[in-house]
Amino acid sequence: FWDVPRYKELMRYSVAKIGAPEAAILQIAGEQMAHFYNMPSHTTASNSDSNAHDERHAWESVLNVFTAMNSGNDTVINAGMFACGLTTSLEQLVMDNEIIRYARRLIRGIDASDEVLGADVIKEVGPCGNFLMEEHTVDNLYSGEFWEPTIKVNQSYDNWAAEGYPTVDKDARKLVNKILEEGNKVPLDAAVEETLNTIIKTFEEE
């Protein structure tokens, strides 16, 4: 049995492949089992087996974050960790925050309310018309419908080149330094903080 090359490889490295597609499948299965037994569920994301901030790291992180969140797990942990969970990085924590915000926006979907759709404005402007100067467009431009990245790498090529071709991890480092210097400007909601303190106190007492 252990002469099969695949099992020899597994035994040689002896690492948990948390970025593999099977791990993402288990995120879904675990939540389904918890739902069946009426229990809270938790999983890990973003997960990557890569040892660097490279392309593989990116696709593994994005896919398993979306899987973990969209499957309905109650708690998702491990942001900022990679390399099979053996490395922690503040830059990765910032990038994972970006991935999670992206996933939450995807899950939220489209607001199809009358106010956002603006059917009357569409009818008034008509085919080939210009919506840019309409009050409805201006009012909804900053309504939260449009996702705004916190890592600024979405500028034009010329502007990107003028800034020295910054990569995402370098921009993440800038944001890390800013947060460390200025502190946390978004404290936890008082009700959330109280709930967390109650949980911790209960655990310590037990």
Side-chain angles (χ1 to χ4, degrees):
F1 178 78
W2 293 110
D3 287 335
V4 179
R6 176 166 175 257
Y7 289 99
K8 282 186 175 181
E9 182 180 352
L10 288 173
M11 292 300 292
R12 182 187 308 132
Y13 296 112
S14 297
V15 292
K17 310 304 289 183
I18 61 175
E22 291 81 7
I25 292 171
L26 289 174
Q27 289 176 329
I28 301 171
E31 193 287 324
Q32 290 175 340
M33 289 181 65
H35 183 80
F36 178 81
Y37 289 108
N38 195 28
M39 297 171 60
S41 60
H42 108 281
T43 189
T44 60
S46 81
N47 293 326
S48 176
D49 300 326
S50 176
N51 291 292
H53 300 302
D54 56 11
E55 287 80 0
R56 177 180 177 180
H57 191 151
W59 76 61
E60 287 182 345
S61 295
V62 169
L63 288 172
N64 67 64
V65 162
F66 189 71
T67 302
M69 296 177 65
N70 204 35
S71 60
N73 282 283
D74 298 294
T75 305
V76 181
I77 64 171
N78 266 29
M81 300 178 67
F82 61 101
C84 303
L86 300 177
T87 301
T88 302
S89 161
L90 293 179
E91 291 90 342
Q92 189 58 45
L93 184 59
V94 167
M95 289 188 282
D96 285 345
N97 178 66
E98 195 82 329
I99 294 170
I100 291 166
R101 291 178 62 246
Y102 196 112
R104 291 178 68 179
R105 179 63 191 90
L106 285 175
I107 293 169
R108 181 158 61 89
I110 298 173
D111 183 352
S113 64
D114 292 339
E115 169 59 28
V116 172
L117 288 180
D120 292 340
V121 179
I122 295 173
K123 183 177 180 181
E124 183 178 343
V125 173
C128 301
N130 185 352
F131 290 89
L132 292 179
M133 300 307 295
E134 294 295 321
E135 288 295 326
H136 181 271
T137 301
V138 176
D139 290 342
N140 285 275
L141 188 60
Y142 300 103
S143 64
E145 190 66 16
F146 299 98
W147 181 79
E148 182 70 22
T150 57
I151 304 175
K152 304 293 184 181
V153 292
N154 58 335
Q155 66 266 49
S156 68
Y157 180 87
D158 291 338
N159 290 337
W160 177 61
E163 292 183 9
Y165 308 98
T167 55
V168 174
D169 57 320
K170 290 180 180 178
D171 275 4
R173 166 45 60 180
K174 291 180 182 178
L175 184 53
V176 166
N177 291 336
K178 184 174 185 293
I179 294 171
L180 292 175
E181 290 172 4
E182 299 179 1
N184 179 24
K185 301 299 183 181
V186 189
L188 284 175
D189 179 81
V192 174
E193 187 172 4
E194 183 180 355
T195 301
L196 289 173
N197 288 333
T198 301
I199 293 172
I200 293 171
K201 184 178 179 181
T202 302
F203 177 80
E204 289 175 344
E205 290 175 351
E206 292 178 354

